[in-house]
Amino acid sequence: MRTYEGFLKAALVTLKITAIAIVLGTVFGIIFALMKISRSKILQTIANLYITLIRGTPLIVQIMFLYYGITSIIVLSNFWAGAIALGVHNGAYIAEIFRGAIQGVDKGQREASLALGMNRTETMRRIIFPQALRRAIPPLGNQFIITLKDSSLVYVIGVTELFGLANREAASSFQPFETFLVVGLYYLVLVLIFTALLKWYENRLNVDGS
């Protein structure tokens, strides 16, 4: 019973860290996507550098680097350090998703809105971004599921989420096969729930937009 309750608590930690990482990653993603498609060469360079660095290095290295980097400056728990690291990592991939979705909107709509007297900011907010968001939902859903599974890597900085707890239980019980089978089922259930929620939201968008 104690182990069962422990896995439930660890699953809750996994969901919390995933949710925080998704929110942070989405904020970073939108900001850097707009920077990448802006007219400013400086902003484009910053965005390209960020995306290249994140996509070109392993997540586990980023977690360790950011954890020791952040905690050397401010006092921060390993939970929050891990969530921030995951958010920064996902921001690079989400930035590319939004960039592609924004640039995929018909240029004629942008030109028409400008002809009607809207400025670039109004055009982006009222015309382009709502359509881009609908286009981005499927790849965003995939990225969110990847985030859930990637959250298992924060165990390296001592976060007791599902995989971290499974490592401890496997070592203490000498039953690694059974332990990792159980934790694998937990991840599978969580992914299926995520998938169902994302599918529901995508269908709702399709209905509202029809």
Side-chain angles (χ1 to χ4, degrees):
M1 180 63 70
R2 183 180 63 83
T3 301
Y4 174 74
E5 292 177 353
F7 274 115
L8 286 179
K9 291 180 180 179
L12 183 59
V13 173
T14 293
L15 288 175
K16 287 180 178 179
I17 204 167
T18 300
I20 295 169
I22 286 173
V23 172
L24 291 177
T26 301
V27 172
F28 290 144
I30 292 173
I31 291 172
F32 282 97
L34 294 175
M35 289 171 63
K36 189 166 183 178
I37 63 175
S38 70
R39 295 178 176 179
S40 170
K41 292 295 183 182
I42 296 176
L43 294 180
Q44 289 178 19
T45 300
I46 294 172
N48 285 327
L49 181 62
Y50 162 68
I51 293 170
T52 300
L53 285 174
I54 295 300
R55 295 179 69 177
T57 55
L59 172 56
I60 195 167
V61 173
Q62 295 167 22
I63 291 173
M64 298 293 285
F65 178 81
L66 289 173
Y67 172 63
Y68 288 108
I70 293 172
T71 55
S72 67
I73 300 172
I74 59 174
V75 177
L76 200 64
S77 69
N78 53 4
F79 172 89
W80 280 102
I84 292 171
L86 280 174
V88 170
H89 175 82
N90 280 279
Y93 293 89
I94 294 175
E96 285 294 88
I97 290 172
F98 275 116
R99 178 199 58 77
I102 290 171
Q103 293 181 333
V105 176
D106 187 6
K107 292 183 179 179
Q109 297 191 44
R110 183 181 291 106
E111 294 170 356
S113 61
L114 292 174
L116 290 172
M118 293 185 186
N119 58 37
R120 288 175 57 85
T121 301
E122 289 176 327
T123 299
M124 177 61 68
R125 179 173 57 85
R126 299 175 61 181
I127 306 297
I128 304 301
F129 192 78
Q131 296 183 65
L133 180 59
R134 289 167 59 87
R135 290 171 176 263
I137 290 299
L140 279 176
N142 290 334
Q143 187 61 40
F144 292 166
I145 290 172
I146 291 172
T147 305
L148 171 63
K149 292 186 287 187
D150 282 350
S151 67
S152 61
L153 292 177
V154 299
Y155 89 95
V156 297
I157 57 174
V159 180
T160 308
E161 40 66 66
L162 277 172
F163 191 75
L165 179 62
N167 265 323
R168 282 173 25 192
E169 289 294 330
S172 62
S173 67
F174 300 102
Q175 295 179 317
F177 177 80
E178 293 85 349
T179 302
F180 288 112
L181 175 62
V182 170
V183 81
L185 292 175
Y186 270 91
Y187 277 113
L188 178 60
V189 170
L190 292 177
V191 167
L192 291 175
I193 293 173
F194 261 57
T195 303
L197 290 173
L198 290 166
K199 186 65 176 178
W200 169 81
Y201 185 65
E202 187 177 347
N203 290 337
R204 182 179 176 183
L205 281 180
N206 290 334
V207 171
D208 291 343
S210 61

